[in-house]
Amino acid sequence: MRKAIGIDIGGTYIKAGITDENGNILTKQQFPTMAEKGSRDIVLQQIETAIEFAMGELDEPPAGIGIGTPGVVDNEGVVFEAPNLPDWHNLPLKKIFSEKYNLPVVVENDVNSITWGEFLYGAGKGYNTIICITLGTGVGGGIVKDGKLIRGSRYSAVEIGHIPIEYKGPQCKCGNYGCVERFVGRDYIVERAVKAIKEGKKTFIYELAEGMTENITPKLISVAYKKGDRVATDIWIDVGVCLGALFSGLVNLLNPELIVIGGGISQNVEVMFETIEKTIKERAMRILAENVKVVQSSLGTDAGIISAGALLFQK
Ligand SMILES: [Zn+2]
């Protein structure tokens, strides 16, 4: 079976592994990114170390090297811009490593890469059109439509977190008003809990945070929800309605079969998933909404490596 090298570049670690055509991970290792050194060459050297590790574990040449990186990446594997990596402007990543190793190299934005991985091997396996969203401090996304990743004219399509859902809503850090990230980004989920506490509502979240609102995280709100806490449950329902409203629009636009939700924040918060599905069914056009499923991402903690390797393989 053919194998590929998967490289997942993050702000803190570069993860490397060998994957096979079925999306299995055969070996893996992580290396510090060393972005804090402020040197592009040091980070490139770390990527090379990660690739060397994987090469050393192979007994035959791989199908190629797949790289998932933050930032905007074009079809030629040039990273236009990656805000958290030093001096990553117009960096020809693909050229650098394909010349060095004389192997096919595919470079893709990390969220697009994960969308492709989920489509080939994860929750999206067997489907044709899927929307992926990752919930965290920011809200990212990717779309596979009719078996192809959507990139757009400047390779920046699917900034899903910055779709406005309330045109007179609060201003988002991107400058627009009422973006979905302004309601379901990590800090804004936490904000709901702080507000409830300030209003004097009784909630287990406050005890879990040991009486300090700055300790509140989405994870604590999930723990409180699991214990049946009303305030926590209402927060996740509200997040679900917000995402459901967003997806009702996207369902009308793209007619997907599946919506995949990733990022650690919403792990096992069933009420949020149920609310999203219910809201889509209430709000989207009936014929389009009927068969849409909303599920959690399924590639787990190695998603970045598996998905980077997946860039070398088609369905
Ligand atoms: Zn925005």
Side-chain angles (χ1 to χ4, degrees):
M1 188 178 300
R2 292 196 306 157
K3 291 169 189 160
I5 293 176
I7 303 289
D8 173 25
I9 303 173
T12 313
Y13 290 106
I14 295 163
K15 298 178 181 173
I18 296 168
T19 66
D20 71 15
E21 242 171 321
N22 290 338
N24 299 305
I25 188 154
L26 309 174
T27 180
K28 61 174 179 173
Q29 180 83 263
Q30 66 182 32
F31 304 85
T33 307
M34 296 192 180
E36 71 283 0
K37 305 256 184 207
S39 154
R40 158 168 157 165
D41 288 342
I42 290 178
V43 176
L44 287 173
Q45 182 55 51
Q46 288 301 93
I47 297 171
E48 197 177 317
T49 306
I51 295 172
E52 293 290 341
F53 153 78
M55 293 292 253
E57 300 282 311
L58 283 161
D59 38 27
E60 55 183 343
I65 302 168
I67 303 177
T69 171
V72 177
V73 185
D74 75 3
N75 276 353
E76 304 299 320
V78 177
V79 183
F80 286 141
E81 176 113 352
N84 297 320
L85 297 170
D87 195 23
W88 278 43
H89 305 291
N90 299 319
L91 177 63
L93 260 195
K94 173 178 169 163
K95 187 166 176 283
I96 292 171
F97 291 107
S98 59
E99 282 176 2
K100 184 153 199 93
Y101 292 101
N102 201 21
L103 283 170
V105 173
V106 183
V107 184
E108 188 57 84
N109 163 272
D110 49 7
V111 185
N112 270 352
S113 171
I114 291 212
T115 303
W116 187 248
E118 287 288 342
F119 172 71
L120 272 195
Y121 306 127
K125 197 174 167 183
Y127 293 92
N128 207 32
T129 295
I130 69 167
I131 301 173
C132 254
I133 185 168
T134 54
L135 300 178
T137 304
V139 176
I143 292 173
V144 172
K145 184 176 173 292
D146 302 322
K148 283 206 172 104
L149 264 176
I150 291 185
R151 291 191 175 83
S153 62
R154 299 206 68 190
Y155 316 101
S156 312
V158 202
E159 281 290 355
I160 213 164
H162 298 286
I163 295 177
I165 54 166
E166 211 179 289
Y167 77 102
K168 288 181 179 172
Q171 192 166 26
C172 175
K173 67 172 195 292
C174 75
N176 201 347
Y177 294 86
C179 292
V180 73
E181 185 175 297
R182 185 61 185 72
F183 299 101
V184 304
R186 183 197 175 283
D187 294 349
Y188 303 105
I189 294 176
V190 168
E191 197 175 69
R192 286 176 176 78
V194 174
K195 182 165 175 276
I197 290 165
K198 284 192 176 147
E199 285 169 356
K201 289 187 182 147
K202 256 192 84 64
T203 167
F204 188 48
I205 299 168
Y206 193 59
E207 287 164 66
L208 287 170
E210 293 168 338
M212 285 181 282
T213 51
E214 59 270 29
N215 287 344
I216 298 173
T217 60
K219 195 162 180 193
L220 277 195
I221 303 172
S222 298
V223 173
Y225 153 71
K226 288 279 177 193
K227 302 235 178 230
D229 185 78
R230 191 64 245 171
V231 168
T233 306
D234 286 345
I235 289 172
W236 288 120
I237 290 173
D238 195 48
V239 169
V241 171
C242 179
L243 288 170
L246 166 76
F247 288 129
S248 66
L250 292 176
V251 162
N252 287 348
L253 180 71
L254 292 162
N255 194 11
E257 305 143 284
L258 187 77
I259 290 165
V260 181
I261 301 189
I265 280 183
S266 58
Q267 204 92 10
N268 303 316
V269 185
E270 299 84 1
V271 72
M272 187 194 80
F273 286 81
E274 287 159 13
T275 307
I276 295 172
E277 259 191 42
K278 185 166 157 274
T279 308
I280 292 171
K281 293 212 155 63
E282 284 166 2
R283 294 191 180 198
M285 309 269 290
R286 190 177 59 82
I287 190 89
L288 297 155
E290 246 166 18
N291 299 317
V292 182
K293 288 205 228 18
V294 181
V295 299
Q296 202 160 290
S297 60
S298 73
L299 291 181
T301 48
D302 293 328
I305 300 173
I306 295 170
S307 301
L311 295 173
L312 271 302
F313 302 123
Q314 296 295 315
K315 211 167 192 175

